[in-house]
Amino acid sequence: MNKYFAEMFGTFWLVLGGCGSAVLAAAFPDVGIGLLGVSLAFGLTVLTMAYTIGPISGCHLNPAVSIGLWAGGRFSANQLLPYIAAQLLGGILAGGTLYLIASGKAGFDVTAGFASNGYGAHSPGGYSLQAAFITEVVMTMMFLLVILGSTDKRAPAGMAPLAIGLCLTLIHLISIPVTNTSVNPARSTAVALFVGDWATAQLWLFWAAPIAGAILGALVYRVIGSEESTPTTQAA
């Protein structure tokens, strides 16, 4: 059970650190961290957890990553559901913790977004459903390529967490204006449940697109990285 608890606490940290930076600190008066700060926060959560729980669970923290690793031959199918359940539980616990913190401020309004992902009228930049879907598929595909490549036995030892954390930072820098960046169904679900309404109505995209992108990334890496590749369950 230790790896499932590791995934739960790791995803808790991802959502609390990443979404917490967006809700609590992004637009804080005078010293708000903005888009760059939120992007770094998401990358740093993965980086710190990769070194902490990578040797225990592989530090997936993301149902799309677990599915992508399975599609890439790096993860067994019989562990998929327990991993995804642990990730969702950790994310929802973090969403609840963040809600309790954020609601302690006068004027807090969860319907304003609560770091939820969206498209159309709920996209930060007003991007369409099509643009949002393409963005999430492509970003998750590239994320899986980096994960699979940096954890390959031919990659420099011990550097995978840096590559993966920086990749997630870059993904956020690109795609926050489009969808508020998901690439992670657990992250999206964790906050959408507290917003309800439009956030849960649009949640389907932030499951479908990241999973499709992860599988696509895994298939691409099977082609470009097949020679002497060593199977592993470790994502970071």
Side-chain angles (χ1 to χ4, degrees):
M1 291 293 292
N2 61 337
K3 56 190 171 186
Y4 305 134
F5 280 116
E7 284 295 303
M8 183 186 74
F9 283 111
T11 311
F12 177 93
W13 184 233
L14 171 75
V15 173
L16 187 62
C19 294
S21 70
V23 172
L24 304 174
F28 189 76
D30 302 323
V31 291
I33 61 174
L35 186 153
L36 176 59
V38 174
S39 300
L40 284 169
F42 273 100
L44 288 171
T45 60
V46 171
L47 174 62
T48 52
M49 278 296 107
Y51 282 117
T52 304
I53 68 169
I56 302 169
S57 70
C59 190
H60 299 187
L61 315 183
N62 183 338
V65 168
S66 295
I67 292 170
L69 289 173
W70 163 76
R74 303 278 192 95
F75 191 62
S76 60
N78 62 7
Q79 294 187 75
L80 270 178
L81 289 180
Y83 261 59
I84 291 171
Q87 292 154 2
L88 286 171
L89 178 58
I92 293 168
L93 289 173
T97 301
L98 180 57
Y99 180 86
L100 291 174
I101 295 169
S103 61
K105 180 181 178 181
F108 170 71
D109 181 10
V110 72
T111 63
F114 200 52
S116 290
N117 303 111
Y119 54 83
H122 303 289
S123 158
Y127 287 85
S128 68
L129 187 158
Q130 180 181 1
F133 189 86
I134 293 170
T135 298
E136 290 292 326
V137 168
V138 172
M139 294 299 138
T140 315
M141 178 188 74
M142 296 308 299
F143 194 34
L144 260 292
L145 282 175
V146 170
I147 289 171
L148 290 167
S150 63
T151 57
D152 194 293
K153 73 171 187 177
R154 296 164 290 182
M159 299 301 290
L162 284 171
I164 295 167
L166 288 173
C167 179
L168 189 60
T169 299
L170 177 58
I171 285 169
H172 279 78
L173 287 172
I174 297 167
S175 59
I176 284 178
V178 184
T179 62
N180 221 15
T181 309
S182 172
V183 302
N184 184 339
R187 169 262 187 268
S188 298
T189 303
V191 289
L193 292 180
F194 291 89
V195 178
D197 193 25
W198 65 266
T200 50
Q202 295 190 354
L203 185 58
W204 67 270
L205 185 143
F206 303 104
W207 276 84
I211 289 173
I215 293 172
L216 184 58
L219 295 177
V220 170
Y221 195 77
R222 276 183 176 268
V223 175
I224 66 174
S226 59
E227 185 182 358
E228 298 179 359
S229 182
T230 301
T232 176
T233 60
Q234 186 165 314

